[in-house]
Amino acid sequence: MTVLEIITITAGLGGLVALAGVAVLSRLRTLRAMVVLVVVVAVLATLAGVVAGIFKMAIEGSARDTVLGVVAVGGLVGLAVAAMLARRVVAESGRLAQAVRASDYVAPQGLPAELQVIADALEESYARERSLEGARRELVAWVSHDLRTPLAGMRAMVEALEDGVVTDPATVSRYHAQIRVEVERLSAMVDDLFELSRIHAGTLKLSRARVGLADLVADTIDQTEPLARAKGVRLAVSAEPIPIEADAGALGRALGNLVVNAIRYTPSDGVVELRAFQDEDAVCVSVRDACGGIPEKDLERVFDVAFRGESARTPGKDGGAGLGLAIAQGIVEAHQGAIGVVNDGPGCRFDIRLPLRG
Ligand SMILES: Nc1ncnc2c1ncn2[C@@H]1O[C@H](COP(=O)(O)OP(=O)(O)OP(=O)(O)O)[C@@H](O)[C@H]1O
Ligand SMILES: [Mg+2]
């Protein structure tokens, strides 16, 4: 009846109790039951030691009664505290559950730290979801408006041609040309919407390859030169031949959107400046125009889906749907880059910054 024997028996019995406790614990589904179980296991493990002592007759007579009494009282106190703790945990998580079930979730305050983290994270994600949902609804409303207006015009022209209301050759060919322009604009818009939905759904797959930055810029210039010439805007270009790992098609599209905007908002005789260069461990492409500056309050919003500067939402001759910059941003971010805008000189400057790989 050495102390070692008592400790060994206590450890053995305690281990059994713990094993049984763990087995039961995995079946429990409520926090309340789990907390109570923890206390019961602790009390039983202690009792195991006492029982071992009694068996080995290390504890006898009044000492035995005293120890049993102490363990019993300790167990009861433990159970009472456990019950209180369980109640508190259940009540606090109940508060969280109730807030989640409410139609308008607001994070409850003063929860235990772990629950508070969950509650706050939920609030953030609900807010994000709400604003996404709002943006989506706005987009659908605006886009359907922007689709409907040219469609109505086209229908009128087609009907006029069909009914023979318009017969003089000049008007007929003007109508045909106008319809073709509208069809092209609408299909470009549908392409943009498709691209944007892929970006938002996270299914935009980049096929990266090694491309020269200067080549990318040259391609963009080739595509936008006719527009610039028609508008009387001069394109000034300087590009360093830096090799980058990028999806040339996607990045070219992002850059094209910036240049088209710059040409669109620069008055004739103005200059649009395109620069591509290396800045430490990043490559930068900047597009500077002579638009006269973007109002401060709009600077943050130009990348929003369907944001257009003018308050009137009737598409003008070359008015867009407000998708170009959102697409450019999505593509640049898919390349782990960043895009920004500042007012600079006679207009504004859009900067794309891409990390230089390897
Ligand atoms: N270079 C620029 N200079 C001045 N304002 C600009 C410039 N680029 C964009 N903006 C403003 O930001 C808005 C959003 O631009 P974005 O390219 O997203 O749409 P959009 O050009 O109107 O239409 P889309 O690109 O879909 O044809 C524009 O309507 C315009 O008000
Ligand atoms: Mg645009």
Side-chain angles (χ1 to χ4, degrees), residues 84-222:
M84 275 159 55
L85 179 66
R87 249 174 85 126
R88 165 99 199 277
V89 170
V90 170
E92 299 285 27
S93 51
R95 221 149 52 88
L96 181 55
Q98 197 178 5
V100 170
R101 268 188 236 111
S103 58
D104 199 13
Y105 175 82
V106 181
Q109 293 304 312
L111 295 174
E114 294 83 350
L115 289 181
Q116 193 67 51
V117 169
I118 299 176
D120 293 346
L122 271 178
E123 179 154 288
E124 256 172 52
S125 95
Y126 273 105
R128 209 168 28 235
E129 197 186 320
R130 266 198 293 269
S131 89
L132 266 181
E133 183 54 37
R136 220 172 283 139
R137 225 175 274 152
E138 210 168 50
L139 175 67
V140 171
W142 285 356
V143 164
S144 42
H145 170 268
D146 286 0
L147 289 174
R148 225 180 292 126
T149 314
L151 279 175
M154 279 159 68
R155 173 183 290 156
M157 286 187 277
V158 168
E159 279 172 3
L161 291 170
E162 205 174 43
D163 299 347
V165 179
V166 175
T167 46
D168 77 291
T171 316
V172 168
S173 75
R174 186 163 59 79
Y175 273 24
H176 279 145
Q178 182 69 25
I179 290 170
R180 194 180 49 76
V181 167
E182 294 291 9
V183 165
E184 265 160 28
R185 202 167 66 158
L186 288 180
S187 38
M189 207 157 121
V190 170
D191 287 348
D192 279 354
L193 281 172
F194 182 63
E195 183 84 5
L196 208 59
S197 78
R198 286 204 305 162
I199 290 172
H200 282 170
T203 55
L204 176 74
K205 291 272 172 290
L206 296 181
S207 49
R208 289 184 186 235
R210 187 159 272 252
V211 285
L213 189 60
D215 295 337
L216 200 74
V217 169
D219 286 348
T220 308
I221 295 300
D222 285 347

Side-chain angles (χ1 to χ4, degrees), residues 257 261 264 324:
N257 287 353
N261 280 350
R264 184 185 285 167

Side-chain angles (χ1 to χ4, degrees), residues 261 264-265 289 291 294 302 307-309 320-325 348 350:
N261 280 350
R264 184 185 285 167
Y265 296 106
D289 65 20
C291 68
I294 296 177
V302 292
F307 173 80
R308 300 195 315 196
L323 305 176
L325 288 178
C348 63
F350 283 82

